[in-house]
Short mmCIF file of all heavy atoms in Angstrom, two decimals:
data_model
loop_
_atom_site.label_atom_id
_atom_site.label_comp_id
_atom_site.label_asym_id
_atom_site.label_seq_id
_atom_site.Cartn_x
_atom_site.Cartn_y
_atom_site.Cartn_z
N TRP H 1209 -20.21 -4.56 -25.03
CA TRP H 1209 -20.21 -3.09 -25.48
C TRP H 1209 -19.76 -2.98 -26.92
O TRP H 1209 -20.41 -2.36 -27.74
CB TRP H 1209 -19.35 -2.37 -24.56
CG TRP H 1209 -18.90 -1.01 -24.93
CD1 TRP H 1209 -19.69 0.15 -24.84
CD2 TRP H 1209 -17.67 -0.56 -25.50
NE1 TRP H 1209 -19.03 1.23 -25.26
CE2 TRP H 1209 -17.75 0.81 -25.69
CE3 TRP H 1209 -16.54 -1.26 -25.87
CZ2 TRP H 1209 -16.69 1.53 -26.26
CZ3 TRP H 1209 -15.41 -0.50 -26.33
CH2 TRP H 1209 -15.52 0.87 -26.60
N ARG H 1223 -8.50 -19.92 -19.96
CA ARG H 1223 -9.46 -20.91 -19.56
C ARG H 1223 -10.62 -21.00 -20.56
O ARG H 1223 -11.33 -20.01 -20.70
CB ARG H 1223 -9.98 -20.66 -18.19
CG ARG H 1223 -8.88 -20.63 -17.06
CD ARG H 1223 -9.48 -20.24 -15.72
NE ARG H 1223 -10.11 -18.96 -15.73
CZ ARG H 1223 -11.39 -18.69 -15.60
NH1 ARG H 1223 -12.22 -19.79 -15.41
NH2 ARG H 1223 -11.89 -17.48 -15.61
N ALA H 1232 -22.17 -16.86 -23.04
CA ALA H 1232 -23.55 -17.12 -22.44
C ALA H 1232 -24.01 -15.85 -21.65
O ALA H 1232 -25.24 -15.50 -21.75
CB ALA H 1232 -23.51 -18.35 -21.58
N SER H 1254 -27.63 -10.12 -33.97
CA SER H 1254 -26.47 -9.71 -34.71
C SER H 1254 -25.24 -9.51 -33.80
O SER H 1254 -24.13 -9.85 -34.17
CB SER H 1254 -26.79 -8.43 -35.48
OG SER H 1254 -27.80 -8.60 -36.37
N GLU H 1294 2.39 -9.85 -29.16
CA GLU H 1294 3.29 -9.18 -30.13
C GLU H 1294 3.88 -10.12 -31.13
O GLU H 1294 4.07 -9.78 -32.34
CB GLU H 1294 4.39 -8.39 -29.35
CG GLU H 1294 5.16 -7.43 -30.19
CD GLU H 1294 6.13 -6.62 -29.40
OE1 GLU H 1294 6.72 -7.15 -28.41
OE2 GLU H 1294 6.40 -5.43 -29.77
N ALA H 1506 -25.57 34.70 8.29
CA ALA H 1506 -26.34 34.91 9.61
C ALA H 1506 -27.72 35.38 9.28
O ALA H 1506 -28.72 34.95 9.84
CB ALA H 1506 -25.55 35.83 10.47
N PRO H 1560 -23.21 26.79 7.07
CA PRO H 1560 -24.15 27.60 6.22
C PRO H 1560 -24.27 27.08 4.80
O PRO H 1560 -24.97 27.75 3.98
CB PRO H 1560 -23.40 28.98 6.22
CG PRO H 1560 -21.96 28.65 6.33
CD PRO H 1560 -21.90 27.39 7.23
N ALA H 1564 -28.65 20.11 0.14
CA ALA H 1564 -29.31 19.47 -0.99
C ALA H 1564 -30.60 18.84 -0.52
O ALA H 1564 -31.49 18.67 -1.32
CB ALA H 1564 -28.39 18.41 -1.67
N ALA H 1580 -28.58 22.68 26.47
CA ALA H 1580 -28.62 23.72 25.51
C ALA H 1580 -28.44 23.20 24.10
O ALA H 1580 -29.08 23.71 23.16
CB ALA H 1580 -27.56 24.78 25.84
N SER H 1617 -12.05 19.22 0.09
CA SER H 1617 -11.07 18.18 -0.35
C SER H 1617 -11.38 17.66 -1.75
O SER H 1617 -10.47 17.53 -2.55
CB SER H 1617 -11.11 16.94 0.67
OG SER H 1617 -10.17 16.05 0.26
N GLU H 1627 -4.05 21.51 -12.23
CA GLU H 1627 -2.90 22.38 -12.27
C GLU H 1627 -1.66 21.56 -12.73
O GLU H 1627 -0.71 22.15 -13.28
CB GLU H 1627 -2.64 23.03 -10.94
CG GLU H 1627 -2.12 22.18 -9.83
CD GLU H 1627 -1.99 23.00 -8.49
OE1 GLU H 1627 -2.61 24.03 -8.37
OE2 GLU H 1627 -1.23 22.47 -7.63
N ASP H 1655 -17.22 26.08 -8.60
CA ASP H 1655 -17.72 27.34 -9.23
C ASP H 1655 -19.06 27.68 -8.65
O ASP H 1655 -19.41 28.88 -8.58
CB ASP H 1655 -17.76 27.10 -10.75
CG ASP H 1655 -16.43 27.32 -11.39
OD1 ASP H 1655 -15.54 27.98 -10.83
OD2 ASP H 1655 -16.24 26.77 -12.52
#
Side-chain angles (χ1 to χ4, degrees):
W1209 167 79
R1223 298 178 301 113
S1254 296
E1294 190 173 36
S1617 183
E1627 73 182 20
D1655 280 337

